[in-house]
Amino acid sequence: MRFLHTSDWHLGRAFHRVNMLGAQAEFIAHLVGTAREREVDAVVVSGDVYDRAVPPLAAVELFDDALHRLAELGVPTVMISGNHDSARRLGVGAGLIGRAGIHLRTDPAAAGTPVVLADAFGDVAFYGLPYLEPALVKDEFGVEKAGHEAVLAAAMDRVRADLAARAPGTRSVVLAHAFVTGGQPSDSERDITVGGVASVPAGVFDGVDYTALGHLHGCQTLTERVRYSGSPLPYSFSEAAHRKTMWLVDLGADGSLAAERIDCPVPRPLARIRGTLEELLDDPGLTPHEEAWVEATLTDAVRPADPMARLAERFPHTLSLVFDPERTQDDPDVSYARRLAGRSDQEIAEDFVTHVRGAGPDAHEQGVLRDAFDAVRADDAVREVAR
């Protein structure tokens, strides 16, 4: 069984002020062309098809075009909803669309019900686990404490139970949208921390031949059988070093695995450059970045005049300008943003308590803060579903 593993299309998302719809359409054409040329048996899309619960019309039209092109190609496609998608909206018409070979898996209750495809060696069961928001699905899976590991483990128990009841030799693929331990995040993923924990161990997915992950935007191999495809396009400058690809996976008759990275078309490379304004304008080593999308960090002690206009003369595609003067950490002028960089909401809140009271929160108070953040995030998820 040969299939393409992709995820995190984020249709409708912009890159800073650049409309990415044209680049997203080019990726869809590339996906369909690759499926045709490499004679794949299936395509799997591991969530975040859209960038938000209520996507713009142009993004919906592009998704509709993608579905038609894949259906016309006759390549079965399995998709799950991600944490950016509205599962209910994405799943509208799933039964009817499934007759065309496009299988939308957005209902957590159906985690143990696979899409079964066959090749010359027998059946391959594709199990779609949509993004499982712990607070919303804990009752469905009968777990006492809402947490990513608990609900994913319960969903995987259903997968393994169904697989055990199938004919010997049935191969298996799981699609999941989650932050798995060992994965490297970027700045463009939405935080899914619950109870102070964002990630789940890769061992949750033991017992299946391949786990096709979505959520993290960098292509990565956590184990030979657990992989992220990453997003096909960059959505933050933290992805400047990413190679944007899809996985082409060959699943042998005995469950053996071979995976190849297929490059995706990217409209422009990304570049992060740093120095004083004059250094950036004069450095010949930066010539390769003159046609890239650029994030420039200026280290001038005093903010120079018209920095964006001057940078654009050499780097016409400069999209982000950051001021970060070289100062010592105890300098009172060190920016608030710089002091908060890399800190979670929980850590910032605990620092505030320490600042106001003179002593940090105790274990009970830390739990209260954590529960408050979890409740707000869960409420946001409920409101997004209801919109």
Side-chain angles (χ1 to χ4, degrees):
M1 177 72 67
R2 169 173 285 187
F3 59 90
L4 279 172
H5 165 202
T6 179
S7 73
D8 295 275
W9 294 0
H10 288 280
L11 300 181
R13 186 166 185 165
F15 180 70
H16 289 263
R17 61 178 179 272
V18 177
N19 186 319
M20 296 290 277
L21 204 63
Q24 290 168 341
E26 188 176 353
F27 161 70
I28 296 298
H30 170 71
L31 170 68
V32 173
T34 301
R36 180 190 303 110
E37 293 162 13
R38 301 302 294 267
E39 299 180 334
V40 305
D41 301 302
V43 170
V44 301
V45 186
S46 298
D48 282 353
V49 174
Y50 292 121
D51 188 56
R52 56 183 186 266
V54 184
L57 179 58
V60 177
E61 290 173 339
L62 180 55
F63 179 60
D64 181 65
D65 178 63
L67 297 188
H68 277 85
R69 295 173 74 173
L70 288 166
E72 289 169 3
L73 196 59
V75 176
T77 301
V78 185
M79 295 183 172
I80 61 172
S81 49
N83 62 301
H84 279 250
D85 299 309
S86 165
R88 291 175 62 185
R89 282 186 171 83
L90 188 63
V92 168
L96 185 61
I97 295 171
R99 298 180 186 179
I102 307 295
H103 306 280
L104 302 175
R105 290 296 186 261
T106 64
D107 183 2
T113 304
V115 175
V116 180
L117 305 177
D119 62 11
F121 305 108
D123 289 345
V124 180
F126 288 80
Y127 296 90
L129 311 186
Y131 172 67
L132 303 176
E133 174 59 49
L136 302 184
V137 302
K138 66 183 182 69
D139 292 339
E140 166 63 36
F141 290 107
V143 300
E144 293 183 6
K145 187 173 177 59
H148 289 295
E149 184 174 356
V151 296
L152 266 173
M156 283 301 301
D157 285 344
R158 294 188 184 183
V159 168
R160 284 183 283 263
D162 180 86
L163 189 58
R166 295 188 176 273
T170 299
R171 290 155 291 162
S172 54
V173 176
V174 165
L175 289 71
H177 196 87
F179 186 174
V180 178
T181 305
Q184 295 299 313
S186 60
D187 293 343
S188 51
E189 298 118 7
R190 183 180 294 171
D191 181 29
I192 59 171
T193 300
V194 173
V197 179
S199 64
V200 299
V204 166
F205 301 104
D206 286 350
V208 297
D209 293 305
Y210 184 80
T211 300
L213 292 174
H215 180 57
L216 299 185
H217 288 183
C219 180
Q220 9 195 340
T221 300
L222 303 187
T223 73
E224 184 64 18
R225 298 183 181 275
V226 181
R227 300 170 186 256
Y228 282 100
S229 66
S231 61
L233 292 165
Y235 293 113
S236 74
F237 276 103
S238 65
E239 301 170 51
H242 288 187
R243 173 187 165 198
K244 295 301 184 181
T245 59
M246 304 178 285
W247 285 112
L248 180 68
V249 180
D250 284 302
L251 190 58
D254 59 354
S256 59
L257 193 75
E260 173 188 351
R261 290 179 72 177
I262 304 294
D263 287 293
C264 296
V266 176
R268 290 186 187 277
L270 307 186
R272 284 178 138 173
I273 60 178
R274 180 184 179 89
T276 66
L277 179 58
E278 295 304 325
E279 288 171 345
L280 299 185
L281 294 177
D282 296 339
D283 186 354
L286 299 180
T287 300
H289 302 318
E290 290 178 353
E291 294 304 315
W293 280 324
V294 168
E295 178 184 73
T297 298
L298 299 185
T299 60
D300 301 77
V302 177
R303 185 173 300 206
D306 299 322
M308 181 63 90
R310 294 172 66 189
L311 278 169
E313 292 178 4
R314 183 178 185 188
F315 306 102
H317 305 289
T318 301
L319 299 181
S320 176
L321 188 57
V322 179
F323 293 96
D324 187 18
E326 297 290 356
R327 295 189 174 109
T328 61
Q329 190 62 37
D330 57 358
D331 189 313
D333 290 331
V334 171
S335 73
Y336 181 66
R338 184 173 176 180
R339 295 199 304 273
L340 296 186
R343 302 185 66 74
S344 68
D345 290 342
Q346 176 87 16
E347 290 169 327
I348 293 169
E350 291 178 8
D351 287 349
F352 177 74
V353 172
T354 303
H355 172 73
V356 171
R357 194 170 63 184
D362 59 26
H364 171 71
E365 291 167 332
Q366 288 175 338
V368 170
L369 286 170
R370 189 160 47 246
D371 290 344
F373 282 119
D374 289 349
V376 169
R377 203 177 53 78
D379 185 62
D380 286 344
V382 171
R383 290 174 183 271
E384 198 163 80
V385 168
R387 287 176 64 188

